[in-house]
Amino acid sequence: DEAGIGGAAAASDPISLVQSIDGPFVQKTGGKGANAAAAAGQTAACEFIGNLGRASSVANTALLADMQQFGGVNTEGCSELEGPTGTAYILQFEDNDNAIVLVGGANQDWPGLASLLGGNEGSGLRAAIGRSSAVMLQREVPDHVNVAVAQCAAALGKDVFMDVGGTDSPLDPALLPYL
């Protein structure tokens, strides 16, 4: 809109900062988790587990194929759900500083903690953890997913690592004993 990001809502809020942004914009499928898995797959067996949005099905298929071909990453644990895949808007400023705005998508839609730890819905995830030598968690999923994965990994004697990027919210205290 003419006012830039936020438009009328931002105009009525004296605290908002509105900056216009000119396109064109390019959307690419990927992300921190996919990139980390592809890098890890260059040196060791790696499995990527995540939810992708059906709205970007063609791009998802290409991403998973690239991860398999170039990183040797097992992507069988990925699910495609209704709706969009999450999106990161990376804004680069004239001084080369940047800001990243994350909009959650399919990776926000996970079963509850009890289902992940003991129900049918979490059986594939638990099996993947059992096959792993270590687990790396991402902040782009709900906290309870990371807690469930960390608890399961610890019970199986697996090392747990946390990529703390992606949000500036505090870590869930229930997660800390497992890292």
Side-chain angles (χ1 to χ4, degrees), residues 34-117:
N35 292 340
Q42 298 293 313
T43 57
C46 184
E47 189 166 353
F48 178 68
I49 302 201
N51 293 332
L52 305 168
R54 195 163 285 128
S56 56
S57 186
V58 172
N60 297 341
T61 300
L63 170 70
L64 298 178
D66 284 350
M67 291 175 71
Q68 292 165 354
Q69 182 179 357
F70 300 110
V73 177
N74 177 350
T75 60
E76 292 174 6
C78 290
S79 298
E80 199 169 69
L81 306 177
E82 287 302 322
T85 296
T87 302
Y89 295 93
I90 304 170
L91 312 172
Q92 185 170 4
F93 303 105
E94 289 179 10
D95 65 357
N96 287 323
D97 195 3
N98 69 41
I100 302 172
V101 177
L102 296 174
V103 179
N107 240 3
Q108 297 298 306
D109 188 9
W110 287 83
L113 181 65
S115 293
L116 290 172
L117 289 173

Side-chain angles (χ1 to χ4, degrees), residues 5-176:
I5 294 177
S12 66
D13 179 359
I15 299 174
S16 295
L17 171 66
V18 177
Q19 177 178 353
S20 63
I21 301 175
D22 297 324
F25 301 101
V26 177
Q27 183 174 4
K28 297 183 179 184
T29 302
K32 289 182 346 90
N35 292 340
Q42 298 293 313
T43 57
C46 184
E47 189 166 353
F48 178 68
I49 302 201
N51 293 332
L52 305 168
R54 195 163 285 128
S56 56
S57 186
V58 172
N60 297 341
T61 300
L63 170 70
L64 298 178
D66 284 350
M67 291 175 71
Q68 292 165 354
Q69 182 179 357
F70 300 110
V73 177
N74 177 350
T75 60
E76 292 174 6
C78 290
S79 298
E80 199 169 69
L81 306 177
E82 287 302 322
T85 296
T87 302
Y89 295 93
I90 304 170
L91 312 172
Q92 185 170 4
F93 303 105
E94 289 179 10
D95 65 357
N96 287 323
D97 195 3
N98 69 41
I100 302 172
V101 177
L102 296 174
V103 179
N107 240 3
Q108 297 298 306
D109 188 9
W110 287 83
L113 181 65
S115 293
L116 290 172
L117 289 173
N120 262 355
E121 292 175 295
S123 63
L125 180 62
R126 293 189 308 274
I129 294 167
R131 292 188 298 270
S132 74
S133 56
V135 174
M136 185 169 82
L137 306 173
Q138 296 284 327
R139 303 277 323 264
E140 287 84 4
V141 298
D143 286 341
H144 77 272
V145 176
N146 283 329
V147 170
V149 171
Q151 286 178 352
C152 181
L156 294 171
K158 310 295 181 172
D159 291 325
V160 179
F161 300 91
M162 170 59 106
D163 178 343
V164 296
T167 181
D168 60 359
S169 64
L171 286 175
D172 185 328
L175 183 62
L176 297 179

